[in-house]
Amino acid sequence: MEATIAEKIFSSRCGREIRAGDVVMAPVDAAMIHDITGPLAIRVFREMGGERIFDPRKIIMLFDHQIPADSIPAAENHVFMREFAREQGIHNYDLREGVCHQVVMEKGRAAPGEIVVGTDSHTCTYGAGGAFATGIGSTDMGFVLKFGALYFRVPESIQVEANGTLPRRVGAKDLILSIAGDIGADGATYKALEFVGETFRSMDMPGRMTCANMAIEMGAKAGIVPPDEAAWEYITARREIEPFDLASDPNAEYAEYRQYDVADLAPQIAVPHNVDNVVDVDEVAGTKVDQVFIGSCTNGRFEDLAEAAEVLGKEQFAEGVRVIVVPASRDEYLKALRAGLIERFVEAGALFEAPCCGPCMGGAFGLLAPGEVSLSTSNRNFKGRQGSTAASVYLCSPATAAASAVYGEITDPREV
Ligand SMILES: CC(C)[C@H](C(=O)O)[C@@H](O)C(=O)O
Ligand code: SF4
């Protein structure tokens, strides 16, 4: 039988032929827990009578949402997790490395063909490298910590094919926002989104990560880019693994097909308060912004910062706009530092913060007051996502964020 990439990954990991719709107990190749959801997973593991975790080498532990601790409960969570890591022999990246999804990818902890879970909805990011990766709840993670396996209902797939070359200053984020606008916030619920076509094939790994990251914003269980040379190059630079072929069969069965030609794509904006409220930038150009956030697991990589810096050029950020730039990880931070980007952002008036989730979730800092408007390169714009429920969050690409930060209002980066 011809199979999709998602079906093939489950078949290979379970050692028998698996079809979409099957409910299987599948082994987990890696499991990520962070400072917010980790403590609950550990408590569930204990309640289940857990003493030793299934394999400490397969656990990725780190802190990124509330770092450095922004409250006493957060500090207590960190202490609790550090103790668990010591007791179980887990390598804890602690608060040094950055946002969980960036760190998992950059440390080579998710590889093509693997099943990877994390107690965070954007775990689907690792599909950029050909893993079947999905966010799970802390209760499920308690089970994974004990048994190293989990029940899955193997998803049907939606194939999204994109062809053509993205225009200047239009990038992966614009493409995925446009796809989210079409599919809708629940249009891919429990499906695997498979990204194929020449646009994805010529996209760099950071761009693929931006796209896979937002699969969950359409309700998808996973977002997968079939691994090609670029993906294998990325992973083999980080861990010892022999490349192999992994792609859907030509006649595999899909729930749906969607096709895009990106040659004329305009910069896209998700306007408040849903990710699928997507419009071309010119429909909202001129909207005044109070805060601009460039960062997150969606768009906090070096390439994103470099694109923003290129659009910024020698300009200053507009008076009255708070520009917050947060690299997604220590590695990305160092690359930005060495390339002189940090100096440029700070000179132009930005606050440059250490790697963490930052204002993305309205957690640690950068919260909005009622009535304020934020333009953000992150992935969610629900009411209250970045502070007050009476504030507004618009989502965009790093290029649009930088252009808008210079003019103090939503601006088409192609005109800068
Ligand atoms: C805190 C965590 C559970 C949450 C998620 O799962 O996505 C967060 O990272 C987010 O982006 O809202
Ligand atoms: S950067 Fe934002 S979306 Fe990503 S893990 Fe952190 S809070 Fe979640």
Side-chain angles (χ1 to χ4, degrees), residues 355-407:
C356 67
C357 293
C360 173
M361 198 181 73
F365 57 80
L367 278 74
L368 304 171
E372 285 198 308
V373 174
S374 155
L375 183 66
S376 176
T377 65
S378 55
N379 47 37
R380 286 190 174 148
N381 62 347
F382 314 142
K383 268 193 184 176
R385 173 68 177 176
Q386 294 183 349
S388 169
T389 50
S392 303
V393 180
Y394 292 73
L395 305 176
C396 69
S397 72
T400 304
S404 308
V406 169
Y407 289 93

Side-chain angles (χ1 to χ4, degrees), residues 64-65 99-101 120 122 296-297 357 360-361 379 385:
D64 55 357
H65 283 70
V99 182
C100 50
H101 309 307
D120 190 285
H122 297 102
S296 85
C297 55
C357 293
C360 173
M361 198 181 73
N379 47 37
R385 173 68 177 176

Side-chain angles (χ1 to χ4, degrees), residues 158-163 166 170-188 192-197 199-200 203 207-208 210-220 222-225 256-262 265-270 274-280:
I158 297 178
Q159 191 177 66
V160 178
E161 179 180 343
N163 291 303
L166 287 160
V170 177
K173 181 62 163 294
D174 300 297
L175 174 56
I176 197 66
L177 282 176
S178 134
I179 294 170
D182 289 344
I183 292 186
D186 59 359
L193 282 174
E194 189 180 306
F195 300 111
V196 300
T199 311
F200 290 108
M203 200 178 269
R208 295 179 192 188
T210 301
C211 293
N213 176 273
M214 292 198 64
I216 184 62
E217 303 312 325
M218 290 159 263
I224 310 179
V225 183
E256 210 180 310
Y257 295 94
R258 286 182 179 262
Q259 282 200 325
Y260 290 81
D261 182 344
V262 305
L265 186 67
Q268 302 288 293
I269 309 269
N274 276 311
V275 71
D276 55 0
N277 263 344
V278 177
V279 299
D280 285 359

Side-chain angles (χ1 to χ4, degrees), residues 302-322:
F302 171 75
E303 290 73 7
D304 301 315
L305 306 191
E307 165 133 58
E310 192 268 319
V311 172
L312 169 63
K314 294 188 169 38
E315 302 298 321
Q316 288 292 110
F317 292 125
E319 287 290 330
V321 179
R322 307 184 296 273

